[in-house]
């Protein structure tokens, strides 16, 4: 679990620390607290996933000094679970918050506040818990609470919701069983908003399921479908009456009285109903095969269909696990047959498909499925990065969307944790030593063992088979010039005052024009304006030409990134001169094949630049920084 204080601002952390220090001082000098601290903890539920500790602090600190706040998150993805705990220093403040802030709207959702029950015994026993159904759709948590709080102290009150709409039932948990009995006695069968409601003791799900199994085993009501529309109710009764006494029989009709082709028959006892199902199921009546089975409620049918769907889905996933490959960066003229030919040397291919849009144009990616995992693994090893046509293709095992999403979320949250730790270190005066320069600086990639121009500490490589999102690649930058706050002014620049950084990497000969131009910009090397203009023109000429992928031959991955960075940086500088370093660093987290596509497609590059600018702008707004208007 990450440090909850990491989501709070420095000022908020200071306020909490001051309140804790005051409480400690009171305890030391014998000043009794307003109430025992053990029960000054509140549970806050029904929260939007975007609600943070800082938002809750602003809300609850108006009531009284807050000791601590924690939004509970998933251990893997770090996404909010929709509830939090707020701890006060005394019960008086907690009671005031419960009275005044319960059902307050946060991010368009009313929150639900109750005392935190650390002992699960009270929740599990169900004592004092009642169930209310047939509620009007307009009744929400607050309206239900106001209706039932006259019968006793309410611990929890909730209306079941789905997609923001009431499901027509809810729960009220009283502090005592007597209050629950009182509520059932007075409200059960009464009208609420012109609807007669049912109020009774809440039955745990396990008990309900066991009772349902008993009902299933002793059913008397059967469902009959695929009836001929010419079958009358008299004929229907005659067919089933030979199996036993019928208490009711009906054929469902439309508004015009015409048969819908199905009906229900209820027998007096279970044995008669079971015999009718066994004898008549799959028999023919007037040329149609009847379907006869135990009648099911709607939720039973939905649950059974859902279970069947999930089982079929799981079987399909297991069938293709480890044998289905994802291939991207395909040229437009590659079709299914060409894709199959390229991979056929590695084993038996069961299917090969290039994905196309509604105009039958290639989307640039496809799938190849082998007959065994060994063949698929060999194909990934041999084909990933191989040139097909003029493009290096990307090959990896195909992943489900939810798996890719969870992996990306885990990466994002790990980076966020590192970023928050850096912020905390900066807040307590750790200085620039806790940071690495962030942003792209031409000519600094390769010799220092990892990219110096993006990511900082803790950045991770992209997951195979995924496309990095610019929002994921953005590591916290506190200034628009590509350096973190507290970083030295010359960080990442090869000038005289930073010779160590300059000497870490000597630019390759084929890029000397760009590096020479960079030295001129920093006051080194050429001082003649004529030579400077010539170098600038040579650089512009190289930039405007189409990138030659043959330059990748024999070059290390770090060197390839350097080549691509030197092509991307000036292109981005044309649109965003002040943010070019940051944006280039963010883009260089992408696969080389995608970067080549950006160099070839101006529209795609502009789209990625706009996305990066949006991320940077949102961060600037969140941290109260000024955002440069580059365009």
């Amino acid at each position: 679990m990450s440090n909850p204080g990491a989501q709070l601002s420095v000022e908020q952390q200071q306020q909490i620390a001051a309140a804790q220090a005051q409480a400690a001082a009171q305890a030391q000098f014998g000043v009794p607290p307003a109430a025992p601290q053990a029960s000054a903890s509140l549970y806050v539920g029904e929260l939007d996933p975007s609600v943070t500790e800082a938002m809750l602090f602003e809300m609850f600190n108006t009531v009284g000094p807050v000791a601590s706040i924690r939004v509970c998150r998933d251990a893997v993805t770090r996404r909010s679970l929709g509830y939090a705990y707020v701890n006060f220093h005394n019960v008086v403040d907690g009671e005031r918050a419960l009275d005044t802030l319960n059902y307050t709207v946060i991010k368009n959702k009313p929150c639900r506040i109750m005392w935190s029950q650390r002992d699960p015994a009270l929740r599990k026993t169900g004592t004092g818990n009642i169930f209310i159904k047939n509620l009007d759709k307009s009744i929400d948590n607050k309206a239900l609470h106001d209706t039932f709080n006259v019968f006793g102290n309410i611990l929890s009150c909730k209306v079941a919701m789905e997609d923001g709409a009431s499901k027509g039932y809810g729960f009220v948990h009283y502090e005592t069983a007597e209050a629950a009995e009182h509520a059932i006695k007075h409200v059960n069968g009464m009208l609420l908003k012109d609807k007669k409601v049912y109020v009774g003791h809440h039955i745990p799900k396990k008990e309900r399921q066991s009772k349902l199994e008993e009902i299933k085993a002793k059913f008397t009501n059967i469902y009959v479908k695929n009836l001929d529309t010419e079958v009358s109710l008299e004929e229907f009764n005659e067919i089933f009456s030979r199996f036993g006494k019928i208490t009711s029989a009906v054929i469902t009709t439309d508004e015009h009285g015409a048969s819908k082709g199905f009906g229900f028959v209820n027998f007096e006892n279970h044995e008669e109903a079971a015999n009718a199902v066994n004898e008549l199921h799959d028999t023919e009546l007037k040329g149609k095969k009847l379907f006869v089975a135990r009648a099911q409620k709607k939720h039973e049918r939905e649950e059974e269909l859902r279970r069947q769907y999930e089982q079929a889905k799981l079987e399909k996933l297991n069938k293709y696990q480890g044998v289905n490959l994802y291939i991207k960066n395909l040229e437009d003229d590659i079709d299914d047959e060409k894709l199959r030919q390229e991979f056929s040397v590695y084993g038996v291919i069961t299917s090969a498909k290039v994905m196309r849009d509604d105009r039958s144009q290639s989307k640039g990616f496809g799938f190849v499925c082998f007959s065994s995992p060994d063949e698929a693994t060999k194909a990934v090893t041999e084909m990933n990065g191989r040139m097909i046509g003029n493009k290096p293709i990307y090959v990896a095992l195909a992943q489900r969307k939810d798996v890719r999403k969870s992996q990306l979320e885990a990466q994002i949250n790990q980076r966020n944790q590192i970023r928050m730790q850096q912020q905390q270190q900066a807040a307590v005066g750790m200085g620039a030593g806790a940071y690495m320069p962030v942003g792209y600086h031409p000519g600094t990639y390769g010799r220092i063992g990892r990219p110096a121009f993006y990511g900082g500490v803790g950045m991770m490589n992209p997951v195979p088979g995924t496309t990095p999102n610019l929002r994921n690649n953005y590591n916290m930058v506190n200034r628009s010039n590509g350096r973190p706050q507290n970083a030295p002014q010359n960080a990442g620049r090869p000038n005289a005052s930073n010779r160590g950084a300059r000497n870490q990497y000597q630019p390759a000969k084929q890029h000397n024009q760009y590096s020479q131009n960079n030295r001129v910009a920093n006051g080194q090397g050429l001082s003649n304006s004529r030579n400077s203009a010539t170098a600038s023109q040579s650089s512009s000429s190289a930039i405007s030409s189409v990138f030659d992928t043959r330059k990748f031959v024999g070059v290390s991955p770090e060197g390839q990134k350097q080549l691509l960075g030197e092509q991307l940086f000036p292109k981005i500088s044309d649109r965003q001169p002040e943010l070019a370093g940051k944006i280039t660093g963010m883009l260089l987290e992408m696969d080389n094949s995608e970067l080549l596509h950006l160099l070839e497609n101006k529209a795609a590059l502009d789209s990625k630049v706009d996305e990066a600018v949006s991320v940077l702008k949102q961060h600037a707004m969140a941290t109260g920084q000024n955002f440069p208007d580059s365009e």
Side-chain angles (χ1 to χ4, degrees):
M1 191 69 68
S2 63
N3 183 2
Q7 293 284 347
L8 301 173
S9 67
V10 176
E11 182 181 357
Q12 290 170 339
Q13 293 180 53
Q14 290 173 346
Q15 291 180 34
I16 290 178
Q20 291 173 337
Q22 182 180 359
Q26 290 176 345
Q28 180 179 358
F29 294 103
V31 180
Q37 293 197 30
S39 58
S41 179
L42 295 178
Y43 166 90
V44 186
E46 314 296 320
L47 296 176
D48 186 89
S50 62
V51 173
T52 64
E53 284 88 351
M55 296 178 188
L56 294 177
F57 178 85
E58 292 294 335
M59 174 178 165
F60 284 90
N61 200 51
T62 59
V63 174
V66 173
S68 64
I69 293 179
R70 179 168 67 99
V71 173
C72 295
R73 303 179 184 278
D74 185 274
V76 178
T77 65
R78 310 302 304 149
R79 294 185 68 181
S80 170
L81 297 176
Y83 64 93
Y85 292 97
V86 178
N87 299 311
F88 287 95
H89 288 286
N90 58 71
V91 171
V92 174
D93 292 335
E95 290 177 343
R96 190 183 303 117
L98 187 60
D99 293 338
T100 60
L101 299 180
N102 204 5
Y103 308 115
T104 299
V105 176
I106 309 175
K107 291 274 188 177
N108 299 320
K109 289 183 68 176
C111 69
R112 184 167 58 91
I113 305 174
M114 57 182 283
W115 289 111
S116 173
Q117 300 291 340
R118 298 298 182 186
D119 183 6
L122 182 61
R123 300 194 302 269
K124 291 181 179 180
T125 56
T127 303
N129 201 4
I130 63 174
F131 169 70
I132 306 100
K133 70 177 180 179
N134 202 33
L135 290 171
D136 187 85
K137 299 293 185 182
S138 63
I139 295 178
D140 58 11
N141 293 338
K142 189 175 188 307
L144 191 67
H145 186 279
D146 293 342
T147 301
F148 284 88
N149 68 351
V150 296
F151 303 109
N153 187 28
I154 293 176
L155 298 177
S156 173
C157 177
K158 179 178 181 180
V159 173
M161 307 289 285
E162 185 175 41
D163 298 328
S166 168
K167 297 175 76 172
Y169 65 90
F171 306 89
V172 176
H173 194 179
Y174 285 101
E175 190 173 24
T176 63
E178 291 76 12
E181 293 287 351
H182 200 43
I184 293 172
K185 180 180 178 181
H186 287 83
V187 184
N188 185 33
M190 301 295 289
L191 293 177
L192 288 180
K193 295 257 181 123
D194 299 326
K195 294 187 74 173
K196 187 177 180 179
V197 297
Y198 166 84
V199 183
H201 289 289
H202 172 253
I203 302 173
K205 187 175 181 180
K206 288 184 178 179
E207 292 184 27
R208 294 200 307 272
Q209 288 178 336
S210 64
K211 288 184 178 181
L212 187 61
E213 292 300 325
E214 291 179 11
I215 294 172
K216 287 180 181 179
K218 297 181 179 180
F219 69 91
T220 59
N221 196 21
I222 63 175
Y223 167 68
V224 185
K225 73 173 181 178
N226 207 28
L227 281 170
D228 189 271
T229 55
E230 299 299 324
V231 175
S232 65
L233 185 59
E234 290 75 16
E235 291 177 284
F236 191 60
N237 269 302
E238 186 179 343
I239 294 168
F240 287 91
S241 59
R242 60 191 175 92
F243 295 100
K245 186 178 179 180
I246 296 174
T247 59
S248 67
V250 62
I251 294 178
T252 307
T253 58
D254 59 19
E255 62 272 14
H256 303 294
S259 170
K260 287 186 175 181
F262 67 91
F264 299 88
V265 180
N266 192 43
F267 286 90
E268 193 171 59
N269 60 65
H270 165 67
E271 289 74 15
E272 296 169 349
N275 287 336
V277 170
N278 294 333
E279 294 291 333
L280 294 177
H281 182 60
D282 282 342
T283 60
E284 284 195 7
L285 177 64
K286 293 189 176 183
K288 288 190 173 183
K289 187 176 285 189
L290 293 178
F291 175 89
V292 185
R294 178 182 66 86
Q296 294 177 299
K297 291 185 178 181
K298 183 179 179 180
H299 71 85
E300 282 186 68
R301 294 197 305 273
E302 290 177 345
E303 185 176 345
E304 187 174 329
L305 290 172
R306 190 183 301 111
R307 186 167 56 249
Q308 292 174 356
Y309 171 76
E310 291 296 335
Q311 185 176 354
K313 182 180 177 182
L314 187 61
E315 289 175 357
K316 183 179 179 182
L317 291 174
N318 291 335
K319 180 181 178 182
Y320 296 108
Q321 186 70 31
V323 297
N324 197 22
L325 301 185
Y326 168 70
I327 301 99
K328 67 178 177 179
N329 203 37
L330 296 171
E331 291 197 328
D332 294 340
D333 60 349
I334 300 291
D335 58 14
D336 296 353
E337 188 57 35
K338 287 184 179 179
L339 186 64
R340 180 185 288 269
Q341 290 175 2
E342 292 289 344
F343 284 84
S344 61
V345 296
Y346 302 105
V348 178
I349 295 176
T350 59
S351 67
K353 184 174 182 61
V354 175
M355 305 307 292
R356 300 184 179 277
D357 58 21
D358 51 6
R359 296 177 298 174
S360 297
Q361 298 292 321
S362 171
K363 290 184 176 181
F365 70 92
F367 298 90
V368 174
C369 188
F370 284 90
S371 59
S372 71
D374 291 339
E375 295 171 349
T377 303
K378 184 178 179 182
V380 171
T381 305
E382 298 290 335
M383 292 295 290
N384 187 32
R386 177 171 293 185
M387 300 289 293
I388 296 183
N390 295 320
K391 288 185 176 182
I393 63 170
Y394 174 88
V395 183
L397 287 173
Q399 293 177 303
R400 300 199 315 270
K401 185 177 181 180
D402 56 338
V403 173
R404 294 197 307 271
K405 185 177 180 181
S406 63
Q407 288 178 340
L408 286 172
E409 286 177 343
Q411 286 185 4
I412 295 166
N413 284 289
Q414 183 172 353
R415 295 168 185 169
N416 287 342
Q417 288 179 20
I418 294 169
R419 181 186 67 192
M420 290 186 292
Q421 290 170 2
Q422 291 175 341
Q423 284 181 306
Q424 282 187 306
Q425 290 171 352
V428 296
M430 291 296 291
Y435 291 89
M436 287 182 65
V438 181
Y440 173 73
H441 309 288
T444 62
Y445 194 110
R447 294 292 183 87
I448 58 176
R450 64 177 291 113
F453 50 72
Y454 75 91
V457 180
M459 293 296 284
M460 301 175 64
N461 292 326
V463 179
T466 62
T467 301
N469 189 302
L470 294 182
R471 298 176 184 273
N472 307 344
N473 297 337
Y474 176 56
N475 202 348
M476 186 66 70
V477 183
N478 293 309
R479 290 189 182 178
S480 61
N481 59 6
R483 295 186 304 273
Q485 194 174 4
N486 299 327
Q489 292 294 318
N490 57 3
R493 295 183 181 179
N495 54 26
S497 61
N498 193 16
R499 294 183 182 275
R502 182 188 65 194
N503 293 334
Q504 286 176 335
Y505 175 65
Q506 295 297 327
K509 292 181 179 180
Q510 58 265 39
H511 306 297
N512 60 356
Q513 290 179 333
Y514 188 89
S515 302
Q516 185 182 50
N517 191 34
N518 189 41
R519 290 197 300 272
V520 170
N522 287 281
Q524 296 184 4
L526 299 176
S527 58
N528 187 290
S529 60
R530 177 180 177 183
N531 291 341
S532 175
T534 302
S536 176
Q537 291 171 1
S538 299
S539 176
S540 299
S541 175
I543 293 163
S544 62
S545 61
V546 177
F547 185 79
D548 187 358
T549 55
R550 288 176 296 181
K551 294 181 180 180
F552 276 179
V553 177
V555 180
S556 66
E558 292 83 2
Q560 292 178 6
K561 288 287 186 185
Q562 174 68 34
L563 294 173
L564 293 169
E566 292 182 350
Q567 292 289 323
L568 280 170
F569 183 77
K571 289 177 179 288
I572 298 171
S573 296
D574 292 341
R575 289 194 58 196
Q576 297 289 341
E578 295 189 45
L579 302 174
K582 299 178 186 177
I583 295 173
T584 306
M586 294 162 71
L587 292 182
L588 285 172
E589 275 290 309
M590 301 168 64
D591 294 331
N592 287 357
S593 59
E594 293 175 332
L595 293 174
L596 289 171
H597 175 64
L598 295 183
L599 289 173
E600 296 171 358
N601 191 323
K602 186 177 184 299
L605 178 61
D606 290 345
S607 174
K608 287 295 183 184
V609 170
D610 291 340
E611 186 180 348
V613 171
S614 175
V615 174
L616 294 168
K617 190 171 184 177
Q618 288 179 14
H619 167 68
M621 293 173 62
T623 56
Q625 300 177 17
N626 294 327
F627 185 77
D629 188 7
S630 301
E631 290 188 305

